[in-house]
Amino acid sequence: MKKIGIILCNCFGEIGKVIDLASIRKRLESDPAVDFVTVRESLCLPGDAADCRALVRDRGTGRVLLGACSPYGRMEVVRLGLAQEGFDVRTVRAADLREGCAWVHGKDPQGATRKAANQLDMEIAFLQNMQDSKDVAISVRREALVIGAGPSGLSAAC
C-alpha cells in the first residue's frame, strides 16, 4: 500500500490560532499509513505547489492529504498548482480545516482540534482504500418505449 504524505497549512495563523496543529502532527506521525507530516505557513502562494511537489517527489510518496482551506476557497488553486507540477490530482485529497473547523469553532479550540483530527482520519481512510475503477462496457440499444398517447407521448414518438 502506498504511504500518504500529509501537508498541513497554517494559513498565516488562521488555522493555527484555533487548531493545535502540533498535536495533530504528532498523532498523525504515529499512523503506520503516513509517510510524513509537515506544517507549512501557506499552500496557495506562488511557488508553494512546486515546493510541495518536490517534497512529495523526494519522499516517493504516492498519495497526498492536504489539511488547509475549503475546496470552495483556495484549495482548488493548490490542486491545480500540483497538477501543473505534474502530480496526479486523483491521488490528492483535502480536508477543510479553515472554514470547516477553525472559523466555525473559533470559541472552542479543543473541539475544533478534535474535528480537524477526525476529518484528517477520514481522508486518510479514503486514501488507504481508494482504487482505480474498472472500465465498464455498456451496449447501447437504439430503441425506446414511449408510454402515453397525449401530446407529449406523440411528440416523443416521432
Side-chain angles (χ1 to χ4, degrees):
M1 182 171 297
K2 293 185 178 182
K3 292 276 191 164
I4 300 167
I6 301 177
I7 304 170
L8 302 174
C9 179
N10 188 28
C11 195
F12 302 104
E14 288 292 317
I15 295 173
K17 71 182 176 188
V18 177
I19 296 172
D20 185 358
L21 292 175
S23 71
I24 288 178
R25 178 182 184 173
K26 184 177 178 183
R27 191 177 68 73
L28 290 174
E29 286 175 334
S30 66
D31 189 325
V34 174
D35 181 39
F36 71 89
V37 182
T38 185
V39 178
R40 294 183 49 93
E41 196 58 33
S42 72
L43 289 177
C44 59
L45 293 179
D48 286 342
D51 293 345
C52 291
R53 172 68 178 126
L55 175 65
V56 170
R57 183 182 54 240
D58 293 346
R59 297 293 299 239
T61 305
R63 297 172 182 190
V64 178
L65 173 55
L66 304 170
C69 59
S70 163
Y72 304 110
R74 304 283 300 163
M75 186 50 61
E76 201 54 35
V77 172
V78 177
R79 288 172 52 90
L80 290 173
L82 287 171
Q84 289 173 345
E85 291 295 323
F87 202 82
D88 182 3
V89 293
R90 294 176 299 165
T91 61
V92 177
R93 296 288 294 182
D96 177 6
L97 303 185
R98 188 176 70 178
E99 290 87 346
C101 294
W103 285 3
V104 297
H105 302 293
K107 294 181 180 173
D108 181 15
Q110 290 177 334
T113 301
R114 269 195 317 276
K115 182 178 177 181
N118 286 338
Q119 286 185 336
L120 291 165
D121 287 342
M122 287 186 281
E123 295 298 339
I124 288 170
F126 181 91
L127 285 169
Q128 283 178 304
N129 295 299
M130 70 180 258
Q131 299 174 358
D132 288 337
S133 60
K134 307 274 188 272
D135 287 337
V136 178
I138 299 173
S139 61
V140 178
R141 297 177 66 178
R142 295 181 98 33
E143 45 190 59
L145 171 65
V146 177
I147 299 175
S152 304
L154 291 173
S155 176
C158 294

